[in-house]
Amino acid sequence: SYLGVGLFYLIFLCNVKENRLASLTQNLACKPEEVSERIVALQAKNKDLEKKLRSHEQKGQANLADELIEQAVESDGIHFVKGIVHDVAPNDLRGLAVQVNKGTSPSVTLLVSIAGDKATMICISSDEAVDKGHKAGDFLRELATLFGGKGGGKPDFAMGGAPTGDDPEKTLADFVFPRKVREPQASPAPHPRSLRGTGRHPHQARARPGNG
């Protein structure tokens, strides 16, 4: 009958819950009435461990930033930094690039994070670097192409991705920042007022003295 089937199913559910509770009490080493309290305590402990891990990662990132800052190369009044890091998440990579860029400003910072077979790239150019023609979007697009990927962005900030390839260190080494980008400005033509007192029009040719 339907009543018998329902009763059997109810007994089955009770047995399942009882078995699960027994497993929980065994794994948590506590009594059944203490399970809820123990779970709450474990959740709090997990949050505390996550905070400590995050703090440790931030300290490691600060040390990594110092190492990258020491590798800066100066040219045309701009400090250029490029480097490879490993297993740094995109958001953390952005924070690292910002930190390095501020520590070397005026500067251009180009970083690549290798995680498995994927490479995440980021480039930041300070305002002074952009004014001299050193654009983050152009640099990142060129590097992404060398890696066989795509990327680009604004003059001051750009991101992209690509496969790591066989030798990402060599690929980054093959990328060279330009020594100078801004073209030299031509000297301005003399203003007509500078020719006052000569007794001639600025476009008038100087008269040659006659023979007689």
Side-chain angles (χ1 to χ4, degrees):
S1 64
Y2 289 111
L3 181 60
V5 173
L7 182 59
F8 175 80
Y9 185 66
L10 180 61
I11 294 174
F12 172 77
L13 290 179
C14 288
N15 289 334
V16 170
K17 290 183 179 180
E18 184 176 350
N19 291 335
R20 287 182 178 177
L21 182 60
S23 178
L24 278 174
T25 55
Q26 183 177 359
N27 292 330
L28 297 175
C30 65
K31 299 178 180 179
E33 60 270 20
E34 298 174 344
V35 169
S36 179
E37 181 180 350
R38 185 62 60 88
I39 291 176
V40 172
L42 287 174
Q43 289 175 334
K45 185 176 181 179
N46 184 57
K47 289 182 179 180
D48 184 58
L49 289 174
E50 288 179 350
K51 289 181 181 179
K52 290 181 179 179
L53 178 61
R54 187 62 180 171
S55 176
H56 179 73
E57 289 176 347
Q58 289 175 347
K59 289 180 180 179
Q61 184 169 306
N63 294 334
L64 183 56
D66 291 338
E67 293 177 4
L68 290 168
I69 289 172
E70 292 178 358
Q71 298 175 15
V73 177
E74 190 273 336
S75 177
D76 191 28
I78 302 296
H79 298 94
F80 294 90
V81 181
K82 64 177 182 177
I84 287 182
V85 296
H86 294 272
D87 299 318
V88 177
N91 287 338
D92 294 334
L93 183 65
R94 179 171 184 166
L96 177 62
V98 169
Q99 190 174 355
V100 173
N101 198 252
K102 287 183 178 180
T104 54
S105 185
S107 60
V108 176
T109 301
L110 180 60
L111 301 180
V112 180
S113 176
I114 302 299
D117 59 350
K118 295 182 179 180
T120 302
M121 309 171 189
I122 186 169
C123 186
I124 298 179
S125 293
S126 65
D127 292 339
E128 298 88 346
V130 174
D131 290 341
K132 290 190 175 184
H134 302 291
K135 300 178 181 180
D138 294 343
F139 291 147
L140 194 129
R141 187 177 300 106
E142 180 180 347
L143 181 62
T145 300
L146 291 177
F147 270 89
K150 295 181 179 180
K154 300 179 180 179
D156 61 337
F157 178 83
M159 288 192 72
T164 57
D166 296 331
D167 194 346
E169 284 79 9
K170 183 180 183 303
T171 303
L172 182 62
D174 290 341
F175 173 85
V176 179
F177 287 110
R179 291 299 180 183
K180 281 192 177 183
V181 174
R182 186 174 55 180
E183 295 293 333
Q185 296 181 354
S187 301
H191 195 278
R193 292 182 179 178
S194 64
L195 299 177
R196 285 181 178 178
T198 61
R200 58 188 175 89
H201 190 273
H203 299 293
Q204 180 180 345
R206 184 185 297 273
R208 296 182 178 179
N211 294 329

